[in-house]
């Protein structure tokens, strides 16, 4: 029998097969590799409000981390997140290290940072001065900020926005300072012009200088001419003006000594200077005779009539009375060019609309008279005229009132907002967009309203947090929300960045 010898070349494949089948390997096992721990790569910061916020506003800052494996998750202080400001101080903004609460402290810019695992995320924050006053006119709106700057928007074909142009604006633009640099204290917008008071320079501490701009066909700018202006121009040299009200084509203004002055159109006697002559410069209401010793504390210029309250709380009216807006128990096409006392009531606030009048008595009751074709008196009726002051609401908690073209706004002492009259352009702000209100109707449920201004067909107001809201007609951009679409509900107007 022949012997065979296996070649090593034949054995090698055999061992390979056994290995593949698990043979020859004993009980050894391969240890799996430990997965790599994802590392933090970037941090993104967001805030609950806009990155442009007014002074005193508090917002929540949040940080989200993105990791090397592509995943993202919120970061927390408990997990090692650290909040800070880039400057290291709280002059402009502060952020709570434990909660990420961001507080706007002062006007300027600041960068907040979020740091974890040596990775830093940052976000630039701009802090602006809050809104403090607003005035809605015929087709434009102007508002004042706490830093004394004015911003305007809407129609501008006569330079009434004061930005040295005739371009309409759908968002706030800064009003030019003119030849002065002091802060603005007050502004009032008429049909297509505006007047404002700014802080005086020198030793005067009782008032400020008076400025005007826009349409001037009736001398309503008080410049001694009828030249339109697209930037503010000072009215005279006096520096004791304390308050001003612009009507359709005329102006009333109060000096620190309690004397009331007027200028502009006067064909209806709305200047109250005992004449029917138009005035291109301020003249004293009631005439300049030595017997004119009236001391005024409140006043309002309307469409073609005017109203005022004297120191004793007595109510006085003058100008057109075609619709009974003077409240003297009559209607007449004969102008009344001299202030006349109305009734025996005691008042602390008045507002003159296009052809109706509103007033608040010292006991908090609300009174109205004049035209009522759109229920702007709120007397639960439509049409007719009321020729004497009449209390239409039984409540005695009214605090502020503003009469517009065909509608009226008011705020009660609890901060609630009410409106009535025409709603053809959504100017009541109740969301219906068309239904007039024949009696006061609460707008929303908030009780934080602190200021109102009723324009011709739009409205503006401020809340306690100094936020600005507008609603109603917007064909000329007078709402300031960057659009020209009517809004039947209040829309928030962002605060412009500092400039």
């Amino acid at each position: 029998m022949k012997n065979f010898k296996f070649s090593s070349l034949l054995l090698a494949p055999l061992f390979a097969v056994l290995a593949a089948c698990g043979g020859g390997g004993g009980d050894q096992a391969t240890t799996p590799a430990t997965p790599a721990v994802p590392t933090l790569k970037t941090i993104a910061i967001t805030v609950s409000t806009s990155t442009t916020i007014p002074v005193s506003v508090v917002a929540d800052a949040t940080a989200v981390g993105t990791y090397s494996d592509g995943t993202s998750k919120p970061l927390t202080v408990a997990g090692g997140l650290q909040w800070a400001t880039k400057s290291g101080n709280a002059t402009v903004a502060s952020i709570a290290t434990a909660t990420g609460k961001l507080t706007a402290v002062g006007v300027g810019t600041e960068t907040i940072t979020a740091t974890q695992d040596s990775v830093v995320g940052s976000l630039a924050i701009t802090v602006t001065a809050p809104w403090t006053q607003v005035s809605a006119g015929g087709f434009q709106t102007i508002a004042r900020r706490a830093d004394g700057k004015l911003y305007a928007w809407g129609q501008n074909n006569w330079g009434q926005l004061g930005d040295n142009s005739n371009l309409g604006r759908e968002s706030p633009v800064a009003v030019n300072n003119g030849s002065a640099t002091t802060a603005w204290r007050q502004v009032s917008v008429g049909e297509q012009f505006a007047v404002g008071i700014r802080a005086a320079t020198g030793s005067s501490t009782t008032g400020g200088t008076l400025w005007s701009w826009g349409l001037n066909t009736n001398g309503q700018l008080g410049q001694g001419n009828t030249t339109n202006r697209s930037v503010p121009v000072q009215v005279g040299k006096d520096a004791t003006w304390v308050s001003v009200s612009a009507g359709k084509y005329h102006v009333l203004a109060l000096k620190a000594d309690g004397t009331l002055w007027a200028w502009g159109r006067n064909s209806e006697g709305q200047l109250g200077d005992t004449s029917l002559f138009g005035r291109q410069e301020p003249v004293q209401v009631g005439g300049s005779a030595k017997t004119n010793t009236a001391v005024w504390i409140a006043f309002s210029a309307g469409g073609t009539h005017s109203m005022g309250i004297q120191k004793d709380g007595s109510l006085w009216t003058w100008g057109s009375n075609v619709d009974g807006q003077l409240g003297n128990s009559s209607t007449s096409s004969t102008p009344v060019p001299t202030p006349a006392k109305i009734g025996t009531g005691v008042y602390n606030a008045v507002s003159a609309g296009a052809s109706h009048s509103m007033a608040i008595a010292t006991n908090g009751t609300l009174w109205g008279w004049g035209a009522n074709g759109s229920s702007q008196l709120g007397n639960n009726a439509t049409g007719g005229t009321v020729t004497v002051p009449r209390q239409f609401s039984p409540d005695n908690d009214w605090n502020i009132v503003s009469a517009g073209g065909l509608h009226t706004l008011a705020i009660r002492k609890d901060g609630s907002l009410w409106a009535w009259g025409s709603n053809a352009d959504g100017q009541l702000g109740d969301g219906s967009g068309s239904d007039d209100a024949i009696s006061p109707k609460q707008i929303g449920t908030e009780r934080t309203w602190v200021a109102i201004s009723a324009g011709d067909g739009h409205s503006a107001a401020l809340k306690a947090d100094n936020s600005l809201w507008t609603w109603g007609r917007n064909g000329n951009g007078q709402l300031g929300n960057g659009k020209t679409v009517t809004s039947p509900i209040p829309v928030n107007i962002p605060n412009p960045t500092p400039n």
Side-chain angles (χ1 to χ4, degrees), residues 45-69:
I45 302 174
T46 58
V47 293
S48 58
T49 63
S50 166
T51 54
T52 298
I53 56 179
V55 171
S56 78
V57 168
V58 177
D60 291 313
T62 57
V64 174
T66 299
Y67 290 81
S68 56
D69 62 354

Side-chain angles (χ1 to χ4, degrees), residues 145-379:
R145 292 196 323 195
D147 59 0
K149 295 181 184 296
L150 292 182
Y151 287 82
W153 54 94
Q155 188 187 76
N156 196 29
N157 52 344
W158 305 108
Q160 58 263 47
L161 299 188
D163 69 338
N164 199 28
S165 82
N166 294 106
L167 301 175
R169 309 289 185 172
E170 297 169 8
S171 299
V173 293
V175 173
N176 192 288
N177 276 330
S179 59
T181 58
T182 56
W184 294 97
R185 290 182 172 177
Q186 186 203 353
V187 65
S188 184
V189 184
E191 178 81 354
Q192 294 169 312
F193 73 103
V195 287
I197 296 174
R198 65 195 318 159
T201 57
S203 60
S204 177
T205 58
T206 56
T209 54
L210 185 65
W211 299 70
S212 60
W213 58 98
L215 183 67
N216 195 29
T217 53
N218 290 277
Q220 60 263 48
L221 299 190
Q223 303 293 336
N225 55 49
T226 55
T227 304
N228 301 329
R229 306 283 186 169
S230 61
V231 297
V233 179
Q234 187 172 349
V235 178
K237 300 296 182 182
D238 205 314
T240 62
W241 299 101
V242 295
S243 187
V244 64
S245 175
K248 186 172 185 178
Y249 296 121
H250 73 293
V251 179
L252 301 178
L254 184 69
K255 288 186 178 180
D257 62 2
T259 57
L260 188 61
W261 300 73
W263 59 94
R265 179 169 172 157
N266 196 31
S267 56
E268 293 82 21
Q270 57 263 58
L271 300 189
D273 70 335
T274 75
S275 82
L276 297 178
F277 299 112
R279 307 289 186 175
Q280 297 178 0
E281 296 178 308
V283 293
Q284 190 171 350
V285 172
S288 57
K290 292 182 178 180
T291 55
N292 181 11
T293 59
V295 176
W296 302 88
I297 59 172
F299 57 94
S300 180
T304 54
H305 73 294
S306 301
M307 308 166 63
I309 299 174
Q310 293 191 7
K311 188 177 181 180
D312 61 358
S314 58
L315 174 66
W316 301 68
T317 62
W318 59 97
S320 174
N321 196 36
V322 173
D323 294 292
Q325 60 263 56
L326 299 189
N328 62 3
S329 302
S330 70
T331 59
S332 174
S333 59
T334 302
V336 178
T338 304
K341 184 178 179 181
I342 304 301
T344 60
V346 181
Y347 301 85
N348 57 19
V350 289
S351 184
S355 55
H356 73 292
S357 303
M358 303 298 301
I360 298 177
T362 54
N363 63 359
T365 53
L366 182 65
W367 301 71
W369 60 97
N372 196 41
S374 296
S375 302
Q376 57 264 53
L377 297 183
N379 64 344

Side-chain angles (χ1 to χ4, degrees), residues 27 219 244 378 386 415 490:
D27 57 359
V244 64
V386 176

